[in-house]
Amino acid sequence: MTSTTLHIARRFCGPPNSGNGGYVSGLVARHMEQPCQVTLHAPPPLDTDLQLHQHEDGLQLKHGEQLLASARPYTFDMEIPAAPSLQEAEEAQQRFVGVRHDLPGCFVCGTNRDAGDGLRIFAGEVCEHQERVAALWQPAADLADADGNVASEYLWAALDCPGFFAVKPVSDMALLGRYSARLEQSVQAGETLIVSAWAISHDGRKHNAGSALFRSDGQRVACAEATWISLKR
């Protein structure tokens, strides 16, 4: 691939006028032939033709001359906690703090998005586990291919925002900086999945989080590593 055009539809926003970081990262990663880490450099505009170019051993997403995102080969190794139970995840989402949301239109966690439009993943604190959150998610049919498998960019998206809510007790407002996901098994539309995320470390304005998707029986299907950057209010 020398260059290809990507287009981020308005449906897939994070902030009102730019793409959700996890979704955009997943779109870029889909064009890598190996595991990768995506760095987000600037907000990707919506409903705009963007160019994805080869660059050294990775890729760069640009709008004209502006660098929006870059991908490089990368693998991560981290300890992944066991899945919360279905009951724990269901109870946790009742404690979702995003009911007073800075980005209520976000494709992944926005409370203003209707079912079947946004993912509506509302990760709340797991009881007695500080900086760990969980929720339930059932991917809609329109997120899947002809075989019923959920497209990879939606799995990257689903693993994104829960990480923010895991670090939110320390960073009230932050945006995704670097992100890498590992998809281990296919996911079918309509499955009931457990989403879990946890804080790993904090270093000034940088906050590292892990997240994972599990089947209802606790079998892991995907995981991710993210760096969130606190905003200066």
Side-chain angles (χ1 to χ4, degrees):
M1 182 194 74
T2 55
S3 178
T4 192
T5 300
L6 296 186
H7 187 90
I8 303 167
R10 187 158 297 276
R11 178 188 179 190
F12 306 120
C13 70
N17 297 308
S18 60
N20 169 267
Y23 174 82
V24 172
S25 298
L27 277 184
V28 172
R30 194 171 70 182
H31 293 270
M32 287 284 288
E33 296 180 353
Q34 56 187 306
C36 68
Q37 181 185 69
V38 178
T39 300
L40 299 170
H41 301 276
L46 304 171
D47 295 331
T48 303
D49 287 342
L50 310 174
Q51 296 303 311
L52 188 65
H53 305 273
Q54 286 183 324
H55 179 74
E56 297 177 351
D57 59 350
L59 298 173
Q60 290 186 336
L61 180 67
K62 290 187 171 184
H63 181 215
E65 294 302 312
Q66 184 179 30
L67 179 62
L68 304 174
S70 59
R72 65 181 181 90
Y74 179 79
T75 56
F76 61 85
D77 182 22
M78 65 179 178
E79 184 177 346
I80 299 173
S85 68
L86 280 171
Q87 181 177 346
E88 286 174 324
E90 186 173 15
E91 291 174 351
Q93 65 189 7
Q94 304 305 314
R95 293 185 283 273
F96 177 58
V97 298
V99 291
R100 299 176 299 280
H101 208 309
D102 292 299
L103 299 174
C106 175
F107 172 62
V108 177
C109 63
T111 51
N112 286 358
R113 303 297 291 265
D114 294 331
D117 176 28
L119 301 188
R120 294 177 59 84
I121 298 175
F122 302 144
E125 182 180 316
V126 177
C127 189
E128 298 180 359
H129 290 275
Q130 188 178 16
E131 295 187 297
R132 186 178 181 192
V133 298
L136 299 178
W137 178 46
Q138 284 187 318
D142 70 330
L143 306 181
D145 60 20
D147 296 323
N149 294 320
V150 177
S152 60
E153 59 266 31
Y154 302 121
L155 299 179
W156 278 65
L159 288 161
D160 168 20
C161 295
F164 164 69
F165 288 101
V167 302
K168 185 175 172 62
V170 175
S171 175
D172 184 54
M173 184 60 184
L175 291 178
L176 187 63
R178 286 197 171 113
Y179 190 42
S180 179
R182 184 170 70 235
L183 310 183
E184 300 171 337
Q185 299 184 42
S186 61
V187 172
Q188 289 278 302
E191 279 194 69
T192 296
L193 299 171
I194 298 167
V195 188
S196 177
W198 56 95
I200 297 174
S201 64
H202 305 281
D203 181 13
R205 293 174 56 218
K206 293 183 179 181
H207 312 278
N208 297 314
S211 56
L213 286 172
F214 302 90
R215 301 197 196 282
S216 58
D217 63 0
Q219 184 180 26
R220 193 174 73 235
V221 298
C223 54
E225 176 192 63
T227 299
W228 292 85
I229 309 298
S230 291
L231 300 183
K232 296 178 180 178
R233 289 193 179 272

